[in-house]
Amino acid sequence: MKKFVSILLVCFLISGCARQEIIDRIKILQCVSFDVQGDLFKSSGAYASYQKKERLRLITAEAETFSGVWLPQNTKSDHQIVTGQIRTFVISEKFARKSIQALAMGLLRDQSVSNNVTIVISKQEISTIMSEALKNPPFYLSDLIKQNMEKGSTPLTNAHFMLDQYYGEGQDVYLPVVDQDEKGLIHMDGVGVFYEDKLRLLLTDKESFLLRLLKEKSKTMTGAYEFRGRENEVYNIRILHGKRNISYKEKDSVIISLKLYIQLKELPKAKNVIRKSDLLELQHDIEQHFTSEISDMLKKFQMNAVDPIGFGELYRSNHRNWNEQEYKNKTYPNIKFEVNSEVIISQTGVGIGAE
């Protein structure tokens, strides 16, 4: 009994020392944007307004340092600003092309910001993206990004991945891109790839999906994909699951093997999957398409001296005398890629091929 009383007393003492943060007496930032203007960092933070009719409200600030924006934001707030629940960082394309060094250092040093926070590049002005986000539920932007990483064409990434790519050797940073359509709706629009700390290359939505296939594990290798064939006919398929393997055959030769299990959704009218010859031809055309598109994308990476796949990291793990600059300047530009695509049509869809 005395032991139980002692434990209960300790619990009371511990709880009494804990810092209380009442929900309606703090401002919990959920989405933060960053832009640059000259030598200044411009930031906007969206927070839930529990005492107002608005779902989200903005608080803005400027500072000469990246982490310094929190101080002027606090001076404009009637309650303490809390950063522990931030789900999304939005950076302008101008910010990304200038340098993300301050962003990487800020994330590394600020332990209150989760490693799961997603970072996206905005093609539009930051103010228009944030204004549109305010019209939606509190976690709309982070949920949009998450959904496209799980089911769409956006490869998985977050602050943890970005910091590993930025500070690690043999790989380059890539971040998702958001844009707005003619009606102002926010949508995912490919991926931005960095050379060192500057944005160098913007990938299309299709290339973003191919990057995802080469980066992710077999369990998450799913999603819809549409392309035009040799005669401009439209193919719409769904990847159910797959496997990929990347290995160095020699010092300057890399073999990429891709095996995809797919479902046929929409096919050219001239094709009939009931006929075995047509089914085999479809299978061959889809395999050739993936082989060609991935090969072209890898050549684009070499031409721009970027390595979002991480071929350098794989090379470093197999070579004791690793030198990053020598690899970037001599080895990587001369690598010959051999892409082998295998497609297994697991499902043809109800009614496809029927006359």
Side-chain angles (χ1 to χ4, degrees):
M1 184 64 181
K2 290 183 179 180
K3 185 177 180 181
F4 174 76
V5 172
S6 300
I7 294 173
L8 190 61
L9 181 61
V10 170
C11 290
F12 276 120
L13 289 172
I14 293 174
S15 62
C17 296
R19 184 177 178 179
Q20 293 184 354
E21 291 184 339
I22 301 172
I23 195 70
D24 59 354
R25 295 183 185 176
I26 57 176
K27 284 183 170 59
I28 304 175
L29 295 184
Q30 299 171 359
C31 177
V32 178
S33 67
F34 284 92
D35 201 354
V36 287
Q37 185 174 6
D39 294 329
L40 290 177
F41 291 93
K42 300 178 67 177
S43 176
S44 298
Y47 65 92
S49 179
Y50 297 102
Q51 297 175 333
K52 305 290 183 180
K53 292 182 179 180
E54 300 94 337
R55 289 180 174 178
L56 287 175
R57 304 189 78 190
L58 279 182
I59 188 166
T60 61
E62 295 181 358
E64 294 183 355
T65 61
F66 179 85
S67 300
V69 298
W70 308 124
L71 181 60
Q73 282 190 0
N74 264 308
T75 63
K76 296 180 180 181
S77 174
D78 55 342
H79 296 300
Q80 178 192 0
I81 290 178
V82 179
T83 61
Q85 293 298 316
I86 296 176
R87 294 195 181 188
T88 309
F89 277 98
V90 184
I91 62 174
S92 68
E93 186 174 339
K94 182 180 178 181
F95 183 110
R97 291 194 181 279
K98 185 175 182 180
S99 173
I100 59 167
Q101 181 183 21
L103 171 65
M105 292 177 64
L107 290 172
L108 188 66
R109 293 172 178 173
D110 192 347
Q111 300 301 313
S112 67
V113 178
S114 169
N115 281 334
N116 291 322
V117 66
T118 52
I119 306 158
V120 295
I121 304 166
S122 172
K123 286 185 175 180
Q124 298 293 327
E125 292 290 333
I126 287 294
S127 57
T128 61
I129 289 289
M130 295 299 286
S131 295
E132 181 63 27
L134 292 182
K135 300 176 184 178
N136 295 284
F139 298 114
Y140 170 77
L141 190 55
S142 60
D143 289 341
L144 172 72
I145 299 166
K146 181 181 178 181
Q147 188 276 137
N148 277 273
M149 286 184 182
E150 292 178 350
K151 306 294 182 182
S153 59
T154 305
L156 178 65
T157 183
N158 54 31
H160 174 76
F161 280 87
M162 194 214 80
L163 291 174
D164 182 59
Q165 292 166 342
Y166 185 82
Y167 288 106
E169 293 184 331
Q171 56 186 326
D172 287 312
V173 175
Y174 63 83
L175 295 175
V177 176
V178 295
D179 200 356
Q180 288 177 289
D181 62 16
E182 62 279 0
K183 295 182 180 180
L185 296 177
I186 302 172
H187 62 91
M188 307 304 296
D189 192 30
V191 163
V193 184
F194 290 73
Y195 176 76
E196 295 181 348
D197 65 340
K198 295 178 177 62
L199 176 64
R200 170 166 288 189
L201 182 64
L202 288 173
L203 302 183
T204 65
D205 202 51
K206 180 190 291 184
E207 290 171 329
S208 174
F209 186 79
L210 297 176
L211 174 62
R212 182 186 169 196
L213 291 182
L214 296 181
K215 288 292 294 183
E216 296 191 9
K217 299 178 181 179
S218 58
K219 290 182 179 180
T220 56
M221 200 180 289
T222 61
Y225 185 79
E226 186 173 283
F227 67 94
R228 289 188 175 273
R230 291 171 294 179
E231 299 178 2
N232 208 35
E233 67 275 31
V234 178
Y235 292 77
N236 189 300
I237 65 174
R238 179 167 187 79
I239 298 174
L240 305 174
H241 58 93
K243 298 178 181 178
R244 64 106 175 95
N245 184 64
I246 300 175
S247 61
Y248 274 87
K249 183 178 180 181
E250 297 172 359
K251 183 178 180 181
D252 60 349
S253 180
V254 173
I255 299 176
I256 299 173
S257 300
L258 191 65
K259 187 174 185 179
L260 301 174
Y261 294 82
I262 69 167
Q263 175 188 14
L264 303 177
K265 303 290 287 185
E266 296 286 341
L267 301 172
K269 294 181 180 179
K271 303 293 183 181
N272 188 337
V273 294
I274 296 176
R275 293 194 294 266
K276 187 175 181 180
S277 58
D278 279 11
L279 189 62
L280 292 174
E281 186 178 342
L282 280 170
Q283 182 177 336
H284 175 75
D285 289 347
I286 296 171
E287 289 174 344
Q288 288 297 105
H289 172 81
F290 278 109
T291 296
S292 175
E293 291 295 316
I294 291 174
S295 297
D296 290 345
M297 184 178 69
L298 296 176
K299 290 177 183 177
K300 182 186 288 190
F301 290 162
Q302 286 179 303
M303 289 175 61
N304 287 275
V306 294
D307 182 13
I309 305 295
F311 296 111
E313 185 181 30
L314 180 61
Y315 183 90
R316 180 173 65 92
S317 65
N318 291 291
H319 292 79
R320 184 174 297 177
N321 299 321
W322 158 263
N323 183 286
E324 188 172 21
Q325 288 304 316
E326 182 180 349
Y327 174 82
K328 285 184 175 180
N329 297 332
K330 296 181 180 180
T331 306
Y332 185 62
N334 297 306
I335 288 179
K336 297 175 182 178
F337 293 102
E338 179 184 330
V339 182
N340 301 312
S341 302
E342 181 183 357
V343 168
I344 292 89
I345 301 177
S346 299
Q347 301 177 27
T348 57
V350 178
I352 291 183
E355 298 293 341

